[in-house]
Amino acid sequence: MPDERALIGRVGFGSGTMIAQGYGRVDEDAARGAVEAAYRAGVRFYDTAHFYGSGRSEAIVGEILQGRRDQVRLCTKGGVRYTDPANLLTLVRDSSYDALRRFMEESLTRLRTDHVDVYLLHQFDPALTPEQQMENLQRLKDEGLARDVGFCNFGAEASRRALATGIPTAVEYSFSLLDHRYLNELADAGARGALRITYGSFVHGLLSEDFAEDHEFEPDDWRGRSRREGRSGTSGNVFFAGDAFAANVAIARRLRAIAGSLGISLAAFVLALTVRRPYSDVALFGCRTAAEVEDGLRGLPLALDDATLARAEEILASANRPAENLLGL
């Protein structure tokens, strides 16, 4: 059997979906339970961001992990905010040093700590060069506010230039069984010894929830807007827009059949497959309740035989994975 302790060390709790804008109704008590369940299950890496839930995500993570700070690694992100928190299309990017210093101070207060283990720029700021943005991060690191610094969601050229400075020691990108768009950026970071964090393991619910092809999302859920309009303000829209949603639901249904034969859920099977991939050091999984956390981790101890892996790969080979890096510069 695989070493569950080793595999759980490659799993991180992603707190975007539990409290962030754009995923429908939020239950803060359930979110607290999810963070607590992850800790009790042995998860020790927690990823959050300044603008998830306008700070509520960081506040909940800080509350639940208070007194356990030396047992966990905290990663948060800054440099972006919404002018209107109810509208995901009002995103403003600011990676100037003064702005990052304010972001950092607010994040540390909510997280109840004097430093974070990983601090990332959430998105590329077109007003500054990649080199300037890395220099601003270095200042925060020099002040002892972060141990590792880096970026999330930089495009190919910006990633190359940022890594060339030698400053970033961590990166974060979308990666899943259906999303291989950023493998080059992850490989480049890994070759330089940077920590590779990946998010979107469940493809924003496509590989964890039991959707039907005609599923109706809540009005404030960006996934429904992607289905209707083909845009959302997030690069995840390509999995929901047009014919993609129905095709991905069909793939999820076939994977769910394999998971059922193993006695686990689709989410547990997908996470078990994802952490066995060589593209990341920490694969985040997003959950909104304690039950989802417990369920998602059930596949880690399983020994997946060659026949099972081959069946999964056959199904995934039919996926129309988006190939283009959609993140711009």
Side-chain angles (χ1 to χ4, degrees), residues 117-138:
D117 299 284
V118 184
Y119 192 74
L120 306 173
L121 300 183
H122 211 142
Q123 293 191 22
F124 181 76
D125 179 356
L128 300 171
T129 67
E131 294 80 6
Q132 289 170 326
Q133 293 176 69
M134 294 306 101
E135 290 167 2
N136 292 338
L137 283 177
Q138 183 65 53

Side-chain angles (χ1 to χ4, degrees), residues 170-236:
V171 301
E172 184 173 320
Y173 278 99
S174 174
F175 168 77
S176 72
L177 302 178
L178 300 181
D179 187 2
H180 290 183
R181 288 173 292 178
Y182 311 111
L183 292 186
N184 289 336
E185 288 78 11
L186 289 166
D188 190 11
R192 297 172 182 271
L195 177 71
R196 299 165 302 160
I197 308 161
T198 57
Y199 66 90
S201 297
F202 297 145
V203 197
H204 311 288
L206 273 171
L207 293 185
S208 60
E209 300 181 47
D210 190 6
F211 290 128
E213 287 82 354
D214 60 352
H215 180 82
E216 290 293 332
F217 291 93
E218 293 185 36
D220 62 343
D221 193 311
W222 68 264
R223 296 170 294 184
R225 185 165 59 248
S226 292
R227 290 195 66 196
R228 296 189 302 271
E229 305 172 14
R231 63 180 176 84
S232 69
T234 170
S235 66

Side-chain angles (χ1 to χ4, degrees), residues 68-126:
R68 300 162 167 171
R69 179 67 184 93
D70 60 347
Q71 302 296 317
V72 300
R73 299 181 73 190
L74 293 178
C75 170
T76 196
K77 302 177 284 290
V80 297
R81 59 182 175 82
Y82 292 122
T83 57
D84 177 4
N87 185 348
L88 299 187
L89 301 178
T90 64
L91 192 71
V92 174
R93 307 171 192 179
D94 188 350
S95 293
S96 65
Y97 171 74
D98 288 343
L100 291 181
R101 195 64 168 76
R102 289 193 299 273
F103 281 124
M104 175 67 88
E105 289 174 356
E106 292 169 4
S107 292
L108 293 178
T109 297
R110 290 192 286 256
L111 289 168
R112 308 187 188 197
T113 185
D114 60 359
H115 74 281
V116 291
D117 299 284
V118 184
Y119 192 74
L120 306 173
L121 300 183
H122 211 142
Q123 293 191 22
F124 181 76
D125 179 356

Side-chain angles (χ1 to χ4, degrees), residues 223-302:
R223 296 170 294 184
R225 185 165 59 248
S226 292
R227 290 195 66 196
R228 296 189 302 271
E229 305 172 14
R231 63 180 176 84
S232 69
T234 170
S235 66
N237 67 331
V238 295
F239 301 101
F240 293 85
D243 297 331
F245 181 73
N248 289 325
V249 166
I251 288 172
R253 187 175 295 120
R254 295 177 66 191
L255 291 173
R256 184 178 286 108
I258 300 178
S261 71
L262 298 171
I264 58 176
S265 69
L266 171 63
F269 185 48
V270 165
L271 189 60
L273 290 175
T274 301
V275 298
R276 286 167 166 82
R277 297 301 198 268
Y279 309 116
S280 65
D281 302 301
V282 177
L284 304 176
F285 75 123
C287 297
R288 307 188 80 172
T289 67
E292 289 179 356
V293 170
E294 293 161 1
D295 175 68
L297 296 174
R298 285 199 177 104
L300 297 187
L302 295 184

